[in-house]
Amino acid sequence: MPNTNTQIPSTCWECSTHCGSLLTVEHERVVDIKPNSYHPSSRGAFCVKGIKALTEQTYHPNRLLHPLKRDGERGSGSWKRIPWTEALDIIVDQFLKIREKYGGHALVGAVSNAHFSRGVSVALLMRAFGSPNWMMNQDLCGGCRGISDKVTGLSINNGEDLDKTKCALIVGRNPAAADPAQWLALKRAKKTGAKIIVIDPVRTATAKISDLWLQPKPGTDSALAMAIINWLITNQRYDKKFVESWTFGFNSLAKRAANYSIQRVSEITGVSGDDIRKAAELYANGPSCFVSGHGIDAFTSGVQTFRAFHCLVAISGNLDLPGGNRRVKKPSGFTNYIEVLHKS
Ligand code: SF4
């Protein structure tokens, strides 16, 4: 690392937005973090977590930097520092004892996010001990979205093309608080005339700049998705060519969606029929971009709610369309963490 007053472009990893940052480094310590307005994705967006987290946590005097072993009664607060080799031996011995007594399946690893390298490392560690058990917190953080994305075959996570969209359909997400880069993109889209629909029980800052705010009873978003699907199909506003070429099960979806008339969904959700119809029309006049958040993930039936919205993205022809929801594309030869697990 350079010694004095050097500015280094970097990336914030405090959340999956991955904003571009500029680090000021003095005597091998990061002393300041600023947004990088030249970053191609975040374009200068940043938040307080990114500014404070690294400098306050990394150099905090109480940060645990070495293994500590209890030295006395549990709860006495007495610990002694031990070498890494000893710590690793203790952990492995305990794992082996459990495996010997109960079998490998008695072991389970838990990580906070499969997205980072520790997710795959813990899974591989468990495998080494003969256990397939691996837990993560994704049921509260993008997991429902991820599962639906995979089972519907869309692969559109983080592919919102707000810069070219004509309509953003935002469900259970408040980019004004959750994602500064997306919030800037949304405001740019609004300036160029894109319509913004927000589905959220709360009148968030994003709802305040929307053209249409639908305020459903909490947990009824999937009914709204089904009503819009039904409206697109009955009004012949879905993408027939795409449906014929690329989808499976369209007739079953149409049959199921037929149960969700605007009148019935108005009763389920508490949203007026006029507003549901307006939302369907605006979305049909795309290209439209589905923007989603933890409001869906963190409620019951999150996977099924996402499936309904993901089916809407597909049959409306907004999949991988400029201004719609782009599919994830990897540079050739690139392998992500989950693929490492499949291949090993
Ligand atoms: S939104 Fe905040 S925490 Fe997330 S990557 Fe950007 S600066 Fe970091």
Side-chain angles (χ1 to χ4, degrees):
M1 256 196 173
N3 272 336
T4 49
N5 239 347
T6 307
Q7 208 167 53
I8 300 175
S10 185
T11 306
C12 176
W13 275 74
E14 290 297 324
C15 84
S16 54
T17 304
H18 299 154
C19 297
S21 59
L22 286 174
L23 311 183
T24 304
V25 178
E26 266 178 31
H27 304 296
E28 301 191 357
R29 282 173 78 101
V30 176
V31 293
D32 191 32
I33 301 178
K34 288 190 172 70
N36 183 355
S37 51
Y38 293 102
H39 189 275
S41 164
S42 60
R43 304 196 206 178
F46 222 63
C47 82
V48 70
K49 268 199 304 176
I51 289 169
K52 293 282 184 192
L54 189 144
T55 46
E56 290 194 357
Q57 288 173 19
T58 304
Y59 307 123
H60 194 282
N62 292 343
R63 185 176 167 206
L64 190 59
L65 296 172
H66 314 281
L68 297 175
K69 187 167 183 248
R70 193 186 310 123
D71 188 25
E73 286 299 305
R74 182 187 286 270
S76 65
S78 179
W79 302 87
K80 70 171 178 192
R81 183 173 163 181
I82 58 170
W84 281 102
T85 46
E86 187 182 337
L88 291 171
D89 283 348
I90 291 171
I91 294 167
V92 171
D93 283 349
Q94 294 297 330
F95 280 171
L96 290 174
K97 270 187 203 154
I98 291 169
R99 187 173 73 173
E100 204 176 308
K101 194 165 176 191
Y102 304 105
H105 285 214
L107 292 166
V108 59
V111 287
S112 63
N113 195 330
H115 168 72
F116 296 110
S117 54
R118 62 181 175 261
V120 76
S121 314
V122 170
L124 292 173
L125 173 69
M126 287 298 111
R127 265 188 206 177
F129 284 95
S131 170
N133 299 325
W134 171 49
M135 300 191 303
M136 52 185 157
N137 72 335
Q138 294 303 93
D139 50 340
L140 285 176
C141 182
C144 299
R145 190 178 334 176
I147 291 169
S148 172
D149 196 45
K150 290 277 178 293
V151 298
T152 52
L154 262 60
S155 281
I156 55 170
N157 266 350
N158 296 326
E160 299 90 356
D161 190 4
L162 285 170
D163 281 321
K164 296 197 183 77
T165 201
K166 292 276 177 263
C167 172
L169 173 63
I170 303 172
V171 189
R173 184 171 181 84
N174 179 18
D179 186 330
Q182 197 172 60
W183 179 233
L184 290 187
L186 206 54
K187 290 200 284 190
R188 284 195 301 273
K190 190 168 172 68
K191 268 193 192 151
T192 59
K195 300 294 180 198
I196 297 175
I197 308 167
V198 169
I199 298 179
D200 201 314
V202 178
R203 191 156 186 265
T204 60
T206 309
K208 285 180 191 162
I209 67 156
S210 68
D211 297 276
L212 181 63
W213 171 41
L214 309 189
Q215 188 184 22
K217 292 174 195 162
T220 61
D221 318 52
S222 55
L224 282 171
M226 293 302 271
I228 299 174
I229 289 172
N230 188 35
W231 187 92
L232 291 183
I233 295 172
T234 42
N235 290 283
Q236 302 290 311
R237 297 291 304 272
Y238 66 100
D239 187 332
K240 294 186 195 71
K241 200 166 163 221
F242 181 89
V243 164
E244 277 161 22
S245 311
W246 296 105
T247 66
F248 172 81
F250 176 75
N251 290 339
S252 303
L253 175 70
K255 200 170 155 198
R256 185 66 182 251
N259 295 326
Y260 291 86
S261 66
I262 285 182
Q263 189 189 342
R264 179 169 174 236
V265 170
S266 177
E267 284 159 20
I268 295 171
T269 60
V271 176
S272 78
D274 276 352
D275 280 351
I276 299 172
R277 203 169 290 108
K278 261 188 236 159
E281 279 170 7
L282 285 174
Y283 186 80
N285 294 340
S288 294
C289 176
F290 169 55
V291 180
S292 59
H294 290 178
I296 300 178
D297 282 295
F299 213 85
T300 49
S301 304
V303 174
Q304 299 308 333
T305 301
F306 268 112
R307 281 184 75 199
F309 281 104
H310 284 158
C311 287
L312 174 62
V313 171
I315 69 155
S316 59
N318 284 300
L319 180 61
D320 218 16
L321 191 76
N325 291 83
R326 307 306 300 251
R327 302 197 82 206
V328 173
K329 294 174 188 73
K330 290 184 304 184
S332 76
F334 180 88
T335 304
N336 69 28
Y337 294 135
I338 302 296
E339 285 165 347
V340 171
L341 275 183
H342 289 161
K343 285 176 187 163
S344 55

